[in-house]
Amino acid sequence: MDTILTVNAGSSSLKFRLYGMSATGMPTLMIKGQVDGIGTHPRLRADTGHDKSLIDRTYAPETMPDVGTAIHVAAAWLRDTLKMAPVAVGHRVVHGGPDYDRPIVVDEAVVAKLTRYEPLAPLHQPNNLAPIRSLLKLRPDLPQVACFDTAFHRGHAAMADRYAIPERLYVEGVRRYGFHGLSYEYVAGRLGEIAPAIAEGRVIIAHLGSGASMCALSGGRSVESTMGFTALDGLPMGTRPGQIDPGVVLYLLTQKGMSADATQSFLYRECGLKGLSGISNDVRDLVASKEPGATLALDYLAYRVGLNAGMLAAALAGVDAFVFTAGIGEKSATMRARIAERLRWLGIDLDPAANGANALKISRPTSRVAVYVVPTDEELMIARHTLALLSHRSANATQQRAL
């Protein structure tokens, strides 16, 4: 069976999945794996997707110093041990800028364009591109597909897309992009299977994880997002502040004497729940803590979700459903309850028992706004896009030969 490899690369980890191209035309999960501790304590783990372990191996730090090397190690294991050689690789790429509004087959020219957006997503973009560069050198014949987190939001109206700045900057690409698009695209499709009538209406999705944002959907399409030009905007996150007065940034630069690099590092690594609590960026640690800072951070996150829900409800002129997804949204009943309390004004009436059980629908039948918990699957979305693009290229090639 032909297979597709999906790659989601971070700064010190690399998640990968191997999908079979089934007869139904839908990707079928065969293997899921991860390389953690890249550069410090590298560890490769993989299983069949049903908790049957296939490998759990540690490596010397010098043998896996970066993400580019990690993809070589994972690919070699798939090829040499499992005799699996994917026919294509799909990658999550956070920022597609103004150039890319859909998945694209990657070459050196595409990588050069995407490199320009590294300053706009410094925690993600360089690491997203590292395995692409490595595979271009190692296997230039292997099709690679970039799937963008910004693409799902590219249909926004001008009112949602623009800042109140001169036109010349908009033309350069300074605009509101929105992120977590692969997650929103998957959840929108899944909601269409769960509750088709609601999915065609007005829906707010809260992607709550270490990175967090919210998206307003109308008829399954993104119309507004809490994130903008970069992934710093909107909700407070694990280590990012979310919405902040630009004057604070100017203050750090001019009054505190911080360099641009130091300010960037501060905003991406020292703020958010970590900065507020003074304890941790992990909601699990904060929920377990009795410290006032932990309570402040959790209440602040719930408060900001409530504020942004109001903004998105205004963009939609009403709300039919609210959906929780991603790590916190899927697993933290405590945070869902905190947030739901803030959203009672919307007509949300949470069912505590269903919420505690992580049920699919966690609102009471009397709730004016239905509330769901829908686990996301960005990797499956990448696999679907990659397979669709391969099929399209194959059909075009067949057509050309016929001519």
Side-chain angles (χ1 to χ4, degrees):
M1 177 188 291
D2 287 338
T3 58
I4 291 173
L5 181 67
T6 66
V7 176
N8 188 343
S11 58
S12 61
S13 67
L14 183 144
K15 298 177 184 177
F16 64 91
R17 290 190 182 181
L18 193 73
Y19 292 87
M21 298 165 63
S22 66
T24 63
M26 296 298 291
T28 303
L29 180 63
M30 298 173 66
I31 296 168
K32 65 176 182 179
Q34 183 164 333
V35 184
D36 292 311
I38 297 170
T40 55
H41 303 286
R43 181 185 181 189
L44 169 61
R45 290 174 291 166
D47 60 49
T48 61
H50 301 285
D51 298 324
K52 180 182 178 182
S53 178
L54 297 171
I55 186 172
D56 189 341
R57 182 184 301 167
T58 58
Y59 297 79
E62 62 272 14
T63 64
M64 207 182 298
D66 51 40
V67 174
T69 309
I71 190 65
H72 286 228
V73 173
W77 171 72
L78 287 169
R79 181 186 65 246
D80 299 337
T81 304
L82 298 186
K83 309 303 179 186
M84 295 285 188
V87 298
V89 181
H91 299 264
R92 179 194 178 204
V93 177
V94 165
H95 216 306
D99 298 316
Y100 302 112
D101 61 357
R102 67 198 66 191
I104 187 171
V105 176
V106 180
D107 57 21
E108 295 288 355
V110 171
V111 171
K113 282 188 175 182
L114 295 175
T115 301
R116 297 185 312 203
Y117 310 127
E118 289 186 352
L120 306 186
L123 294 187
H124 303 92
Q125 196 85 349
N127 300 304
N128 298 158
L129 298 181
I132 295 177
R133 291 191 181 100
S134 292
L135 288 175
L136 280 173
K137 291 178 181 177
L138 182 70
R139 288 283 311 278
D141 58 314
L142 181 65
Q144 297 190 74
V145 175
C147 302
F148 303 104
D149 263 341
T150 50
F152 186 64
H153 306 291
R154 288 299 306 281
H156 284 181
M159 293 300 101
D161 196 34
R162 289 175 175 257
Y163 292 108
I165 56 177
E167 174 73 12
R168 65 180 182 277
L169 291 172
Y170 178 80
V171 172
E172 288 177 17
V174 183
R175 61 188 70 179
R176 299 186 70 251
Y177 290 99
F179 296 88
H180 295 131
L182 291 166
S183 175
Y184 292 129
E185 185 179 7
Y186 176 82
V187 173
R190 186 77 182 95
L191 190 62
E193 298 169 355
I194 297 165
I198 286 178
E200 285 301 311
R202 302 163 297 181
V203 178
I204 295 174
I205 304 176
H207 176 107
L208 305 178
S210 179
S213 70
M214 295 165 69
C215 177
L217 300 180
S218 178
R221 297 176 62 85
S222 171
V223 298
E224 183 59 273
S225 171
T226 57
M227 280 185 169
F229 183 52
T230 71
L232 281 173
D233 201 6
L235 301 178
M237 292 163 256
T239 60
R240 286 170 268 170
Q243 182 183 9
I244 190 169
D245 184 341
V248 174
V249 180
L250 295 176
Y251 175 80
L252 296 176
L253 293 168
T254 61
Q255 302 302 309
K256 301 298 288 183
M258 293 174 64
S259 67
D261 286 345
T263 302
Q264 176 175 281
S265 180
F266 173 75
L267 292 172
Y268 275 98
R269 302 179 188 278
E270 300 298 328
C271 297
L273 302 182
K274 177 183 177 182
L276 270 176
S277 69
I279 297 170
S280 174
N281 65 325
D282 193 315
V283 163
R284 292 168 295 188
D285 295 337
L286 300 179
V287 168
S289 175
K290 304 272 186 207
E291 293 295 322
T295 302
L296 170 64
L298 296 174
D299 286 343
Y300 185 84
L301 174 58
Y303 174 66
R304 287 289 162 178
V305 170
L307 286 181
N308 280 271
M311 176 190 74
L312 298 178
L316 292 167
V319 183
D320 300 309
F322 190 97
V323 181
F324 289 98
T325 194
I328 298 168
E330 295 171 21
K331 298 174 183 176
S332 179
T334 300
M335 280 310 302
R336 291 196 300 263
R338 284 177 187 258
I339 291 166
E341 184 62 29
R342 291 279 181 184
L343 298 177
R344 289 183 68 86
W345 65 273
L346 269 179
I348 284 178
D349 186 8
L350 200 68
D351 182 332
N355 183 47
N358 289 324
L360 177 63
K361 188 175 182 181
I362 60 172
S363 54
R364 297 183 192 272
T366 54
S367 183
R368 292 200 306 272
V369 174
V371 184
Y372 294 89
V373 179
V374 180
T376 191
D377 196 335
E378 294 165 310
E379 286 77 13
L380 180 57
M381 206 69 245
I382 294 168
R384 288 175 177 173
H385 282 309
T386 302
L387 181 55
L389 206 52
L390 286 180
S391 299
H392 181 69
R393 291 181 77 197
S394 177
N396 283 345
T398 300
Q399 187 177 26
Q400 289 295 321
R401 284 195 299 269
L403 294 175

